[in-house]
């Protein structure tokens, strides 16, 4: 904008008080003309008028439909420079657009062809500064967790078995689990979960010893003794209040600690995700399970069925996540594999100071179908009991 000289501004604002005062109810007659400096007319012109006048185009000729006025920005800029007027490019473009609309820049566009930012973006950068942000290379973000992927050479078979298991789950297991959660009060369901968890402690004790964890074996033994007595057969859980941690161990984990680190992923019919290593582990755990020592089928089988329903009820909160997944099979496989790797190698990761996995992987209450819930195992005896 052309700056208004101080003398012109003072003359332009100098009005006689008598010229603008009148009696109440009367209109001031014949006000005195406002004294204006000789150059004030040019000084108070708008940017559009200045640009047009400097370019040699009068506003009257620009408004006339018979006149085709075309002014190049370079010509107008040179003309303004000779008069000592520094007009910003946006004002100049607006002024020229009054006579040639084709030269009007699009709304919000930058006047610099090499600058793709809008006016709002440039204003923001002027206030807060320009900083190149790369969300991938943001130094403030933590390092990504190094989680091994699943070893799944049998994926074609596993996907078919996964579809079969999901069909059975949606038709039978999930409705039973929902009905169980709706009908049975939560304190009773909690007692059922505690009871079956306590029955798994002998297996955890033996496998903790096999893995060279005597302290953990002693804690599991203390949990089993305390919950079986004061907890009335494991229905209540006073061991947790006594600060005895609940750590689940099985023979599949023992085989992993002994060196069988990588194993093929396989999905078993009715019982879901496993590996070849964990399948052999279930066979090794079956003879140690107290529940499988019950000889009467009419007692053992209903208890196993109740255990399966209880495990499925604990997995109900994960259904919305699984149903909304783009690839449900990959989600189940990868999450189970990550969880299993932490169960086997988590203790060593903590001792070595490696990156901790998320809390949901460290939660030892994450339910899975145990060996004692299997209806039949190769180690079972023959004959009808």
């Amino acid at each position: 904008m052309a700056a208004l000289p101080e003398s012109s501004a003072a003359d332009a604002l100098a009005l006689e008080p008598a010229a603008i005062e009148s009696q109440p109810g009367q209109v001031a007659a014949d006000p005195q003309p406002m004294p204006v400096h000789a150059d004030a007319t040019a000084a108070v012109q708008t940017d559009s008028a200045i640009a047009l006048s400097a370019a040699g185009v009068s506003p009257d000729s620009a408004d006339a439909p018979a006149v085709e006025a075309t002014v190049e920005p370079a010509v107008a800029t040179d003309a303004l420079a000779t008069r000592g007027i520094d007009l910003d490019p946006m004002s100049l473009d607006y002024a020229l657009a009054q006579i040639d609309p084709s030269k009007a820049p699009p709304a919000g566009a930058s006047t610099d062809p090499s600058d793709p930012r809008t006016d709002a973006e440039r204003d923001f950068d002027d206030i807060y500064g320009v900083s190149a942000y790369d969300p991938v290379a943001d130094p403030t973000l933590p390092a990504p967790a190094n989680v091994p992927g699943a070893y799944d050479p049998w994926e074609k078979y596993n996907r078919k078995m996964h579809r079969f298991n999901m069909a059975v789950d949606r038709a039978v297991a999930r409705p039973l689990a929902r009905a169980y959660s709706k009908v049975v009060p939560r304190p009773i369901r909690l007692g059922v979960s505690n009871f079956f968890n306590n029955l798994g402690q002998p297996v955890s004790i033996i496998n903790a010893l096999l893995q060279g964890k005597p302290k953990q074996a002693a804690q599991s033994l203390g949990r089993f003794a305390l919950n079986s007595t004061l907890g009335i057969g494991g229905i209540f859980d006073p061991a947790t209040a006594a600060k005895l941690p609940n750590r689940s161990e099985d023979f599949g984990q023992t085989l992993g600690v002994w060196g069988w680190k990588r194993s093929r992923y396989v999905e078993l019919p009715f019982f879901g995700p496993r590996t070849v290593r964990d399948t052999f582990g279930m066979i090794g755990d079956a003879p140690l399970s107290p529940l499988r020592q019950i000889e009467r089928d009419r007692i053992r089988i209903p208890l196993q069925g109740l255990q399966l329903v209880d495990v499925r009820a604990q997995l109900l909160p994960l259904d919305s996540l699984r149903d909304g997944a783009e690839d449900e099979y990959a989600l189940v496989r990868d999450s189970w594999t990550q969880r299993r790797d932490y169960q086997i190698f988590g203790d060593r990761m903590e001792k070595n100071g490696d990156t901790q996995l998320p809390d949901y992987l460290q939660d030892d209450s994450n339910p899975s179908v145990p060996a004692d819930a299997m209806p039949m195992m190769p180690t079972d005896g023959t004959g009808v009991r």
Side-chain angles (χ1 to χ4, degrees):
M1 294 287 294
L4 186 65
E6 294 181 0
S7 59
S8 300
D11 295 338
L13 296 177
L15 300 177
E16 291 294 329
I20 59 174
E21 292 181 356
S22 60
Q23 295 297 328
Q26 296 181 1
V27 180
D30 299 331
Q32 297 294 328
M34 180 178 63
V36 181
H37 192 273
D39 295 333
T41 304
V44 298
Q45 288 179 333
T46 63
D47 292 338
S48 301
I50 293 174
L52 296 178
S53 176
V57 179
S58 65
D60 294 337
S61 63
D63 295 336
V67 178
E68 295 183 358
T70 301
V71 180
E72 295 296 332
V75 177
T77 303
D78 294 340
L80 291 171
T82 58
R83 297 185 54 181
I85 299 175
D86 184 13
L87 193 62
D88 63 275
M90 288 298 293
S91 299
L92 177 59
D93 288 341
Y94 175 78
L96 297 177
Q98 309 306 310
I99 57 173
D100 190 355
S102 64
K103 295 187 179 298
S110 172
T111 57
D112 186 359
S114 62
D115 187 1
R117 297 175 301 167
T118 63
D119 293 341
E121 292 173 336
R122 290 197 305 275
D123 292 342
F124 181 88
D125 292 341
D126 291 341
I127 297 174
Y128 297 102
V130 181
S131 60
Y133 174 72
D134 184 0
V136 178
D138 188 351
T140 62
L141 296 178
N146 185 16
V147 180
Y151 179 40
D152 190 13
W154 296 339
E155 181 175 354
K156 185 176 180 180
Y157 157 80
N158 288 332
R159 284 187 178 272
K160 293 180 180 179
M161 184 56 63
H162 179 77
R163 287 193 292 268
F164 169 77
N165 285 337
M166 290 302 100
V168 174
D169 179 74
R170 294 186 178 98
V172 181
R174 184 188 294 184
L176 285 176
R178 288 178 174 174
Y180 172 76
S181 299
K182 184 176 182 181
V183 174
V184 180
R186 187 177 183 279
I188 297 179
R189 288 187 278 117
L190 183 60
V192 171
S193 299
N194 291 337
F195 172 76
F196 288 117
N197 181 69
N198 189 60
L199 287 181
Q201 291 302 317
V203 175
S204 296
I205 295 170
I206 296 175
N207 281 285
L209 289 174
L210 293 176
Q211 296 173 29
K213 302 175 182 177
K215 179 180 179 181
Q216 183 174 326
Q219 291 173 340
S220 296
L221 178 61
R223 285 188 61 87
F224 182 71
L226 191 59
N227 286 345
S228 298
T229 54
L230 296 181
I232 312 177
I235 296 177
F236 302 99
D237 186 18
T240 299
K243 306 299 182 181
L244 292 174
N246 178 25
R247 300 297 298 271
S248 176
E249 302 289 347
D250 55 60
F251 194 59
Q253 295 172 245
T254 300
L255 292 175
V257 173
W258 285 357
W260 194 348
K261 297 182 178 181
R262 193 182 190 197
S263 181
R264 292 171 181 252
Y265 178 81
V266 61
E267 187 150 343
L268 300 179
F270 302 107
F271 295 98
R274 287 294 187 275
T275 62
V276 174
R277 176 195 60 217
D278 295 313
T279 303
F280 282 100
M282 288 190 300
I283 297 175
D285 287 334
L288 305 175
S289 171
L291 186 61
R292 300 192 67 84
Q293 306 307 315
I294 301 176
E295 296 184 357
R296 294 181 178 274
D297 289 346
R298 61 182 181 180
I299 297 176
R300 177 175 55 84
I301 292 177
L303 285 176
Q304 289 176 322
L306 178 61
Q307 185 177 18
L308 292 174
V309 173
D310 175 67
V311 170
R312 184 62 184 89
Q314 295 180 55
L315 292 171
L316 285 176
L318 301 178
D319 286 348
S320 58
L321 176 64
R322 189 182 64 184
D323 293 341
E326 182 178 354
D327 188 349
E328 182 184 10
Y329 167 77
L331 174 65
V332 173
R333 178 197 63 192
D334 294 344
S335 60
W336 186 89
T337 302
Q338 292 178 27
R339 167 64 179 159
R340 194 60 176 165
D341 287 342
Y342 182 79
Q343 286 181 320
I344 297 173
F345 309 112
D347 295 338
R348 297 184 179 183
M349 291 174 60
E350 293 177 2
K351 291 179 181 179
N352 295 335
D354 294 341
T355 303
Q356 294 289 320
L357 293 180
D359 292 338
Y360 76 92
L361 293 179
Q362 303 180 40
D363 183 10
D364 213 63
S365 64
N366 189 28
S368 60
V369 179
D372 52 5
M374 296 288 185
M376 295 182 64
M377 296 290 289
T379 56
D380 291 343
T382 59
V384 179
R385 296 186 294 273

